[in-house]
Amino acid sequence: MRPVRSAARAMLASLFVVDGVRHLINPEAKVESARWILDKVGPMLEKTDPRIPTDPRTIVRAKAAADVVAGLALATGHLTRPAAAVLAAGLVPTTAASLGSPSEDQPTSLLKNLGLLGGLLLAAADTEGRPGLRYRTTHAVDRSQRAMKRAAKTAKRDARIAAMSAAAARKLPG
């Protein structure tokens, strides 16, 4: 299953890497859709932290850089779950922007983005057949509880043996 996972991740990531590089070189193609989103979210960002840039060109380049880095991480198998989560989070405003821009290919774009989002969510949840963090922590707690019960039982038995040995020793002459 490993080669299938690796190939699927590389194919999924390729779109983000290629688009990211394209938008790093020429951010003007996405500035208008970014402006549409920033008109709605920009005032909230300025209230939250005035250091966050609200220039559409800067936002497009930052998202493109994040897409390239996360896409390369996903494609190469390094930090695949966080990389997929970053790509999925970046895809949400992109999908919202495509909804706001009237075009002929809007339904196709929406379905493509939803399909990519589904693939990214699967990649973010994929543990590659290994137990997930929740499973490991639950079982670690269970193992420690069993170990504590065993230790308590052993301590009681040892205390009982020690008490019987002390009683027997008191009965001995001398």
Side-chain angles (χ1 to χ4, degrees):
M1 191 64 144
R2 179 90 174 134
V4 173
R5 274 191 177 94
S6 298
R9 281 196 302 255
M11 287 186 273
L12 181 61
S14 65
L15 175 74
F16 293 98
V17 173
V18 170
D19 274 355
V21 169
R22 188 178 303 141
H23 293 126
L24 272 173
I25 294 170
N26 180 21
E28 301 304 321
K30 289 288 182 176
V31 167
E32 281 307 311
S33 58
R35 189 180 324 270
W36 185 81
I37 290 287
L38 284 172
D39 286 344
K40 307 217 178 326
V41 181
M44 183 180 66
L45 287 176
E46 288 174 354
K47 287 180 188 175
T48 304
D49 190 353
R51 295 175 294 179
I52 296 175
T54 55
D55 173 44
R57 185 181 173 95
T58 306
I59 296 293
V60 168
R61 282 209 164 148
K63 184 193 176 307
D67 283 355
V68 170
V69 171
L72 289 173
L74 181 64
T76 58
H78 293 73
L79 301 170
T80 57
R81 294 177 75 191
V86 166
L87 291 172
L91 194 59
V92 171
T94 303
T95 304
S98 71
L99 287 175
S101 63
S103 67
E104 292 179 13
D105 65 334
Q106 182 184 12
T108 306
S109 175
L110 175 65
L111 290 175
K112 178 193 74 143
N113 286 348
L114 289 176
L116 286 172
L117 185 60
L120 289 170
L121 291 176
L122 282 173
D126 183 27
T127 60
E128 298 183 17
R130 294 186 303 257
L133 185 60
R134 182 177 179 185
Y135 176 88
R136 289 184 299 197
T137 54
T138 301
H139 281 72
V141 168
D142 290 344
R143 281 192 306 273
S144 64
Q145 287 174 346
R146 283 194 306 269
M148 290 298 296
K149 286 179 184 177
R150 244 187 336 268
K153 190 175 180 180
T154 303
K156 285 180 186 178
R157 188 187 71 223
D158 290 348
R160 220 175 17 251
I161 291 171
M164 290 187 331
S165 295
R170 277 187 294 240
K171 293 181 183 178
L172 291 175

